[in-house]
């Protein structure tokens, strides 16, 4: 299991690094990592995390499609603003999803950390949705979620994965800074057509 976890961690880190660089290849690399991690999490009885990986697989397809629709001339995805009202709605949906999934996992499975795992799953889905939509705010949410994941994985003795999530926190900070820089860059004026 340790070798499988290590391979999943390395591929996953590569995918997140590509995301910080706004490169569309982050999506197929991410797909490989989530499929391997689904297997790792089933064996660790972190069922919400395993389901999360399958949901990520679906969102990866959507995100790849969306990013390819919004590529800049430099071959990198363009960053988009997240309206405050949308952010609030998405976070409320994440909270409801966390409660529903947590209740199911608590009462219907032998999940190790049903409530925490469900909350992290729900808010990871929100962050992934924001990432697919190219929002800088995704990085803020990833930082919070990943810090908590570090503790969960240490507790579950998934040490390679906990180290990976420490790296994810660092990559999320790098991604946040890079995407904010692009978001604040002045856009070139549109050419004025001749009369």
């Amino acid at each position: 299991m340790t070798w499988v976890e290590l391979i999943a961690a390395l591929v996953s880190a590569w995918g997140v690094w590509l995301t910080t660089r706004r490169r569309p290849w982050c999506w197929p690399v991410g797909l490989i990592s989530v499929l391997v991690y689904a297997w790792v999490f089933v064996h660790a009885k972190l069922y919400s995390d395993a389901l999360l990986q399958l949901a990520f697989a679906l969102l990866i397809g959507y995100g790849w499609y969306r990013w390819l629709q919004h590529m800049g001339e430099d071959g990198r995805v363009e960053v988009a603003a997240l309206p405050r009202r949308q952010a609030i709605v998405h976070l409320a949906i994440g909270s409801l999803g966390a409660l529903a999934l947590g209740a199911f996992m608590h009462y219907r499975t032998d999940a190790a950390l049903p409530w925490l795992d469900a909350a992290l799953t729900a808010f990871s889905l929100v962050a992934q949705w924001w990432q697919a939509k190219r929002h800088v705010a995704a990085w803020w949410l990833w930082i919070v979620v990943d810090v908590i994941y570090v503790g969960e994985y240490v507790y579950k003795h998934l040490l390679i994965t906990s180290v990976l999530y420490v790296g994810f926190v660092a990559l999320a900070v790098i991604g946040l800074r890079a995407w904010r820089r692009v978001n604040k860059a002045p856009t070139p004026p549109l050419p004025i057509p001749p009369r």
Side-chain angles (χ1 to χ4, degrees):
M1 179 62 86
T2 303
W3 285 104
V4 175
E5 185 185 357
L6 179 60
I7 290 167
L10 293 173
V11 173
S12 190
W14 182 31
V16 174
W17 180 80
L18 287 169
T19 305
T20 68
R21 310 296 302 156
R22 301 181 3 259
R23 298 287 185 189
W25 284 105
C26 66
W27 299 104
V29 170
L31 180 60
I32 294 166
S33 74
V34 299
L35 294 175
V36 177
Y37 257 118
W39 188 77
V40 169
F41 291 139
V42 165
H43 286 280
K45 293 188 177 185
L46 292 171
Y47 303 129
S48 292
D49 273 340
L51 288 173
L52 175 63
Q53 301 312 301
L54 299 179
F56 276 163
L58 296 174
L59 286 172
I60 282 170
Y62 174 74
W64 197 7
Y65 170 77
R66 288 282 299 173
W67 276 33
L68 291 176
Q69 303 296 314
H70 300 280
M71 297 301 293
E73 290 182 19
D74 62 354
R76 297 171 192 252
V77 73
E78 297 168 339
V79 176
L82 174 62
R84 174 178 260 158
R85 175 174 268 165
Q86 272 187 355
I88 292 168
V89 168
H90 294 165
L91 292 172
I93 291 169
S95 298
L96 292 173
L99 291 172
L101 183 59
F104 177 82
M105 291 296 171
H106 179 74
Y107 294 110
R108 301 284 185 199
T109 74
D110 64 341
L113 301 167
W115 297 102
L116 177 62
D117 197 26
L120 292 172
T121 295
F123 289 108
S124 292
L125 287 171
V126 173
Q128 187 69 26
W129 179 257
W130 288 354
Q131 201 89 60
K133 294 286 198 170
R134 310 171 342 268
H135 300 313
V136 174
W139 293 112
W140 284 111
L141 188 51
W142 279 128
I143 290 167
V144 171
V145 167
D146 290 346
V147 165
I148 299 169
Y149 266 129
V150 170
E152 179 185 63
Y153 295 141
V154 167
Y155 177 78
K156 287 301 293 176
H157 304 290
L158 294 171
L159 300 181
I160 292 171
T161 303
S162 64
V163 170
L164 171 68
Y165 274 75
V166 169
F168 280 170
V169 172
L171 285 170
V173 170
I174 291 168
L176 174 65
R177 293 168 109 181
W179 282 39
R180 285 176 72 185
R181 211 172 17 252
V182 169
N183 200 33
K184 291 180 181 178
T187 56
L190 295 173
I192 299 172
R195 293 184 181 196

